[in-house]
Amino acid sequence: MEKKLGYISLGCAKNLVDTEVMLGLLKEDGYEITEDLSTADLIIINTCTFIEKAKEESINTILEAAQYKQIGACKGLIVAGCLSQQYQDELFKEIPEIDALIGTGAWNRIMDALDSIDKGNRISIMDDMTNIYDERMPRMQTTPRYSAYIKIAEGCNNGCTFCIIPKVRGAFRSRTMESILAEAKRLVSMGVKEIVLIAQDTTSYGIDLSADGQPLLTDLLKALTKVEGIEWIRMLYLYPTYFSDELLNLIVHEPKIANYVDIPLQHINDEILKDMNRRDSRSDIETLLKKIRAVSDHVTLRTSIIVGFPGETDQQFEELCLFVRDIKFDNMGVFTYSQEEGTIAGARKDQVPEAVKEERYHTLMAIQAAISEENNRDLEGTIHQAMVEEIEEEAGQRLAKGRLMCQAPDVDGNMFLENARPDLSEGDIIRVEVEQGFAYDVVVNEIDWDD
């Protein structure tokens, strides 16, 4: 009998990899994936708990999916991920429609959850959080066939005072280089051209594997560049502490590695950084950023910033705004501080009012929008590699949408190519010249590789 599986994966790309592994296990068991949740016999929600808005989204999604036990075909509702790990007792009590809860280290026990549901039981599986997937696990890729994430490490040791992740994901632990390379080769055999390396703290990769406690990210990158079939390598979540000159040199000079640095800074004021328990000072950060800006080939800079951290004054926020204007990040994500239960910052009494946080958010986003538009206009006339992601036919013309090599999937803008040639396909990597730059997107012309 055909079994249908519906799923929703919330939160970050790291969570998506866990979802893909669970889907791989269920596919091996004979489940067919459906996008129509009303027809699904089994529904999995992989949740996020990073900030309050993510929690609200997760809970609302669970409640919406629970309705399909009454109005659809759903016989089993499984809730996995960070929210399950943090609030297992509350979820089971408040949402009786949930049949199984799976913690962040228990995705490999999805079949145990199914066995329990088949027997009419509810089950909570919260295994040791030291678990991490490897290349032997089945994985059903949900991203476009030409681009895939590889999680190279799990957990975090940084202990930022605003963050609950170490409590729900455990201590930092790296996958072996052999495991990562084997997975990369398997993905390439399936048609993947772009590999995106992710972890909670990607630059710390290997500190738990090396004899001297030093990171091994550059060694991993050198090995990945030798894998035939990989055309683009991108890294996300590069914390500044272990960002070495050797890493920067690789980014700039290795053709397969995108000239792209995603470096979550969160703030720039030294007092705020100290209160956040960040390892780097303003001086450390500025030294690194100016070094990146000084290289011969332009490196795209992306960061994430928190406004409204407890105790943040008007003067400290203004310092942050001036810093953003000075550095001119190519892309930036801004978040209002979220008071998280179980965190040091969440227990502080000097919380910033919500209205002030929202005002600061809009102020900083407006500053960044103007900077992004200026940066994209500066790209006009420059040559780039680009990946085609969608092609639309309209009024006899073909419009191609995709990304420059300096644009990351899901978080950055897009490139648009009008009058695309007839033989252009999704996943093709082409050479383009930027014709127009806007706040987030660019319009390009395709040019020959020999031009």
Side-chain angles (χ1 to χ4, degrees), residues 13 23 25 91 113 157 161 172 188 208 261 267 269 311 319 366 369 407 447:
L23 294 179
L25 289 165
L91 286 172
N157 292 343
T161 60
F172 186 85
V188 166
D208 53 331
V261 171
H267 216 279
N269 173 265
E319 179 184 350
Q407 294 172 315
I447 61 176

Side-chain angles (χ1 to χ4, degrees), residues 88 130 194 239 243 349:
Q88 50 187 292
T130 60
E194 177 188 34
Y239 278 64
F243 200 111
K349 303 299 183 184

Side-chain angles (χ1 to χ4, degrees), residues 147 172 195 211 250 255 264 275 349 352 401 438 448:
S147 179
F172 186 85
I195 296 293
L250 262 179
D275 288 345
K349 303 299 183 184
V352 175
K401 176 184 176 183
F438 300 96
D448 289 337

Side-chain angles (χ1 to χ4, degrees), residues 116-132:
S116 177
I117 293 172
D118 288 342
K119 294 173 183 175
N121 299 322
R122 302 177 84 198
I123 188 171
S124 178
I125 307 175
M126 300 291 152
D127 282 10
D128 188 342
M129 287 186 291
T130 60
N131 197 13
I132 185 169

